[in-house]
Amino acid sequence: MAAKNVLTVRNLRKQLGAKEILKGISFQAASGELVAVTGPNGAGKTTLLRLIAGLMPPSGGEVLWNGARLGLEHRLVGYVSHQPMLYGSLSVQENLAFFGGMYGTLSQDRLQELLELVGLWRYRLEPAAVLSRGMQQRLAIARALMGEPALLLYDEPFTSLDVDGRQILRGILEHRRPRALQLLITHELEHLAGLPFREIRLEAGRIVPGGDASA
Amino acid sequence: MKDALKSPFFWGFTLLMLLALSVIVYYAPVERTMGLVQKVFYFHVASAWVGLVAHTVVFAASILYLWKRSGGSDRLARASAEIGTVFISCTLLTGPLWAYPIWNTWWTWDPRLTTTLVLWFMYAAYIALHGGGASEARKRLAAVYGIICFINVPLVFFSTRWWRSIHPVVISSEGIALTPKMRVAMFVSVGVFSVLYFYLLRLRMKSLELQERVRHLKAQLLA
Amino acid sequence: MLKFGRRILLIYRKDLQDELRSTDHLLSTLVFGTMLVFVFSFALELADVGTEQIFPAVLWVSIFFMSVLALQRSFAKEREYGALDALLLASGERSVLFYAKFLFSLTVLLLLELVVVPLLWIFLDVGVGSASLWFFLAAVLAGSWGLAAVGTLLNGITVQLPGARLLFPILAFPLLIPLLMGAILCTQGALSGQVQAVLGWFYLLLVFDLLFTVLPLLLFDYILEG
């Protein structure tokens, strides 16, 4: 791997109406890091992730990737949200193949590798709508990895995953660590036990002092 | 209302309106063939003028909102759309009053009439979409719609004009087809209506701001 | 540029695949369209109105009503499992989504018209004597193009507001007035075989189409930024 990729979040603010959701967030992280974003409901965690992904514009401040402003960059960001973000009428394989086509990273080997990684190879011909929520979440994770992103954003990815699923996700977090920068929102840090991570704790739109620490 | 009675703006404006009325009634001559009904013209033209100004303000304020995301520009667009609807309604109501005796019909699909009616529908749609600015998304989407509407207006106007026109063209490139006294009355009326527009705009923006503050305070109390 | 074209086509293919697999929406819209044809022709028969003169108006009002149902699908399918964000990230550009959804809407509209237009033609018993069929097809295509473009633009707006399905026709109607005029007059010209007389209206349709095909390049970023 060549030079490290660096994400810089500088004084990031987001105002929605009279409500200020983020009140100036600054931090820096580089590829190889796993950052856990924690905090109570309504602290602005999801908004922070969406701003970094470029899905909404900030009201102030900036998000930089290796010093350049980050927009809706193709292939850079893999995003796992609360919702499975898939198409119910398409099969598991078609869902993944569609995104692979969009990213230009589609091949039969890659498809099989990813589906086996998340344990969905057996279900590849099932329509996504008939999968359980946990299986859909696995598919969502495979989709996020499809474009080989350098920046992975997970919004509470452990919810709705069973024991096996959690183990798979932990494996992915561990395995991707050298290559990508991973940001993960979670309420339960015990899921990350054993993995080296750094915690950023948000409360009411601010980083809690001392809430940016390595575990 | 009590506050309005104390405001110098209110009394100043009332005087202006009385002045305009007396100019229209006493100063402007009675038209030779149309008679008294022609006096509705001064209200008709003035409110149509305000409707167009208001529409342009919605457009400009919408662009400003998308650019700066300031609450003020959103309130300006919203208030202007509401007031514009009232004035366009006045135009649409006074038109037939004059048209029935003169054209012998309440309504006709003339370009100006059609454009004005479409303008009214656009305002109504804009206000429905804005939904009182219940969320940031609604404000943003209404601003986009406000811009699309403004761009669409010339298309509506020229297509209907191409189709047919029987509307009297009072102001054309050759000048104004009115006696000097009528001209004075028209300009006074347009001027006073414009002042009325800005007066109402100010009031409405203020009340929208207060509404938003109440909503904000309520949210804070509940939090 | 080539990459954008490829992504547009991929999304378009995915949408068609999805639509053809769960055909209930397409079918209900089609049934609605044929019912409109039936109701109009029956009502006109009862009122004893010359159907040939009224055909262009009935045709476009039917298409307009049908499109209210048909054009609200394009973005709705992204909402079901919240796929819109993933699609945006994979597109890299919001306007890619507009053009893909526009192509999809236009295809669906044309498919529906393939059934409804001939039906209406037969039911209203319109002669083909002096009609210019080519110009008729061109008018239907140009009209549908504009409808699909405006519809896609507005669907991008209404899909973000839960419970705003009713808003769609209200937003669409005032914008579509020039298109409706151009389409009706062109259809009339095509039927009577007097194409030259209405050529100006055809150009108006093209201007309208062009405007609402290019405008989203500027505005779609603001529509889908939430």
Side-chain angles (χ1 to χ4, degrees):
Chain A
M1 199 72 204
K4 271 193 171 186
N5 292 312
V6 181
L7 173 77
T8 312
V9 173
R10 196 178 289 154
N11 198 21
L12 198 63
R13 292 190 307 104
K14 183 68 187 177
Q15 180 121 18
L16 278 181
K19 200 167 173 231
E20 202 170 14
I21 298 179
L22 293 179
K23 300 168 183 165
I25 303 282
S26 300
F27 69 89
Q28 203 167 45
S31 52
E33 277 191 277
L34 172 60
V35 181
V37 181
T38 60
N41 292 332
K45 304 186 293 294
T46 299
T47 306
L48 176 62
L49 243 58
R50 289 174 58 82
L51 283 173
I52 293 174
L55 288 168
M56 43 160 73
S59 309
E62 51 191 358
V63 177
L64 304 172
W65 183 253
N66 295 332
R69 238 172 220 259
L70 204 52
L72 196 62
E73 237 63 44
H74 185 65
R75 269 197 74 179
L76 178 68
V77 179
Y79 186 51
V80 178
S81 97
H82 319 275
Q83 289 177 301
M85 311 208 284
L86 43 80
Y87 302 102
S89 67
L90 302 189
S91 73
V92 167
Q93 186 172 271
E94 284 167 341
N95 263 291
L96 205 52
F98 166 64
F99 282 100
M102 291 291 286
Y103 286 121
T105 54
L106 181 65
S107 73
Q108 195 53 42
D109 290 349
R110 174 126 186 86
L111 206 65
Q112 182 164 359
E113 176 202 343
L114 276 174
L115 285 176
E116 277 172 354
L117 179 68
V118 296
L120 285 179
W121 180 246
R122 270 196 315 136
Y123 302 100
R124 65 186 182 280
L125 298 178
E126 304 274 347
V130 305
L131 297 184
S132 70
R133 183 65 182 84
M135 290 293 176
Q136 289 179 348
Q137 181 74 355
R138 290 178 187 212
L139 179 53
I141 293 168
R143 190 217 62 237
L145 297 176
M146 190 74 213
E148 287 289 352
L151 175 59
L152 271 156
L153 308 170
Y154 308 87
D155 196 342
E156 300 191 34
F158 288 103
T159 32
S160 75
L161 285 179
D162 58 6
V163 180
D164 278 354
R166 287 178 192 170
Q167 208 47 48
I168 289 169
L169 180 56
R170 281 172 51 89
I172 289 170
L173 290 174
E174 176 68 48
H175 182 68
R176 297 273 149 176
R177 221 162 46 75
R179 283 179 283 166
L181 165 59
Q182 304 182 90
L183 264 76
L184 178 142
I185 294 177
T186 185
H187 287 291
E188 291 145 280
L189 286 173
E190 55 264 37
H191 291 317
L192 300 179
L195 295 171
F197 69 91
R198 166 179 150 199
E199 182 186 353
I200 290 182
R201 186 169 173 77
L202 287 187
E203 253 170 52
R206 284 204 176 84
I207 294 182
V208 179
D212 184 352
S214 300
Chain B
M1 194 60 219
K2 254 187 187 162
D3 283 350
L5 288 181
K6 278 184 216 155
S7 143
F9 284 103
F10 176 79
W11 291 109
F13 178 71
T14 309
L15 277 177
L16 263 181
M17 201 73 202
L18 285 172
L19 174 80
L21 275 177
S22 38
V23 168
I24 291 168
V25 174
Y26 298 113
Y27 179 74
V30 174
E31 218 269 350
R32 207 182 310 140
T33 48
M34 299 185 210
L36 266 180
V37 73
Q38 184 266 344
K39 301 252 183 202
V40 85
F41 162 84
Y42 302 107
F43 298 93
H44 181 72
V45 168
S47 41
W49 160 253
V50 171
L52 286 177
V53 169
H55 194 69
T56 314
V57 169
V58 173
F59 172 66
S62 293
I63 291 180
L64 199 65
Y65 178 75
L66 288 184
W67 185 25
K68 296 278 183 195
R69 301 302 159 106
S70 59
S73 47
D74 172 67
R75 286 193 292 274
L76 177 60
R78 163 88 195 280
S80 189
E82 287 177 351
I83 298 163
T85 313
V86 174
F87 279 95
I88 290 287
S89 305
C90 286
T91 312
L92 288 172
L93 290 173
T94 49
L97 289 182
W98 173 86
Y100 191 70
I102 306 302
W103 289 342
N104 211 13
T105 174
W106 295 108
W107 183 263
T108 168
W109 293 104
D110 160 87
R112 286 171 203 233
L113 273 72
T114 312
T115 309
T116 314
L117 187 62
V118 173
L119 212 57
W120 192 90
F121 279 121
M122 283 187 197
Y123 274 127
Y126 173 89
I127 292 169
L129 177 60
H130 191 284
S135 65
E136 272 329 275
R138 292 198 94 123
K139 292 179 187 174
R140 186 185 79 237
L141 297 171
V144 172
Y145 188 69
I147 293 170
I148 299 174
C149 283
F150 186 81
I151 295 172
N152 197 45
V153 168
L155 224 53
V156 175
F157 180 75
F158 284 110
S159 54
T160 33
R161 184 160 94 169
W162 216 357
W163 181 39
R164 62 170 55 147
S165 185
I166 62 164
H167 196 285
V169 179
V170 177
I171 302 177
S172 68
S173 48
E174 282 98 53
I176 304 181
L178 288 175
T179 69
K181 280 188 166 184
M182 285 177 170
R183 207 178 304 176
V184 169
M186 188 187 83
F187 282 125
V188 167
S189 169
V190 165
V192 171
F193 268 61
S194 303
V195 176
L196 177 61
Y197 165 72
F198 286 111
Y199 176 63
L200 290 175
L201 194 65
R202 197 175 138 271
L203 279 183
R204 185 60 186 146
M205 279 181 72
K206 188 95 190 150
S207 86
L208 285 173
E209 196 186 341
L210 289 175
Q211 266 176 26
E212 253 168 50
R213 253 177 62 196
V214 168
R215 197 155 55 193
H216 185 50
L217 287 174
K218 263 189 192 162
Q220 270 187 339
L221 273 177
L222 290 172
Chain C
M1 203 58 220
L2 209 67
K3 275 192 225 150
F4 284 149
R6 207 175 58 83
R7 282 173 213 157
I8 289 171
L9 285 179
L10 276 167
I11 301 173
Y12 171 68
R13 209 183 60 190
K14 183 269 295 174
D15 280 346
L16 273 188
Q17 211 174 6
D18 177 79
E19 193 67 31
L20 295 175
R21 224 167 260 183
S22 48
T23 46
D24 40 335
H25 191 272
L26 201 61
L27 280 179
S28 348
T29 313
L30 190 61
V31 171
F32 177 70
T34 44
M35 255 152 71
L36 275 177
V37 168
F38 168 72
V39 168
F40 269 127
S41 41
F42 192 54
L44 290 172
E45 187 64 33
L46 286 175
D48 201 14
V49 179
T51 49
E52 205 148 327
Q53 288 86 13
I54 216 161
F55 173 77
V58 171
L59 174 74
W60 284 101
V61 172
S62 302
I63 291 178
F64 175 73
F65 278 134
M66 207 163 62
S67 67
V68 168
L69 293 190
L71 298 178
Q72 293 209 62
R73 276 293 282 172
S74 55
F75 281 97
K77 57 174 82 248
E78 302 295 337
R79 296 292 282 192
E80 205 177 345
Y81 291 93
L84 190 59
D85 285 347
L87 190 59
L88 277 173
L89 285 171
S91 305
E93 184 78 52
R94 289 176 173 86
S95 47
V96 165
L97 238 73
F98 172 82
Y99 291 109
K101 299 292 179 184
F102 159 70
L103 280 182
F104 168 73
S105 298
L106 182 61
T107 309
V108 167
L109 206 54
L110 290 176
L111 278 178
L112 293 167
E113 285 164 0
L114 207 60
V115 178
V116 171
V117 175
L119 263 185
L120 193 66
W121 196 301
I122 293 165
F123 263 77
L124 288 194
D125 197 19
V126 179
V128 272
S130 53
S132 158
L133 212 55
W134 283 113
F135 191 66
F136 177 76
L137 291 178
V140 169
L141 184 64
S144 307
W145 182 291
L147 262 174
V150 171
T152 307
L153 191 64
L154 294 180
N155 190 222
I157 289 179
T158 53
V159 78
Q160 299 183 51
L161 308 170
R165 283 181 71 84
L166 261 182
L167 218 49
F168 181 84
I170 295 173
L171 296 178
F173 168 70
L175 296 183
L176 289 171
I177 292 291
L179 176 119
L180 218 55
M181 289 181 61
I184 289 176
L185 291 169
C186 282
T187 309
Q188 210 170 41
L191 281 191
S192 59
Q194 288 161 327
V195 175
Q196 278 303 322
V198 292
L199 216 51
W201 287 103
F202 190 69
Y203 295 142
L204 173 87
L205 273 184
L206 294 185
V207 167
F208 186 92
D209 290 353
L210 188 70
L211 177 69
F212 281 96
T213 313
V214 173
L215 203 58
L217 269 181
L218 302 172
L219 290 178
F220 223 60
D221 277 6
Y222 294 106
I223 292 179
L224 284 188
E225 83 175 16

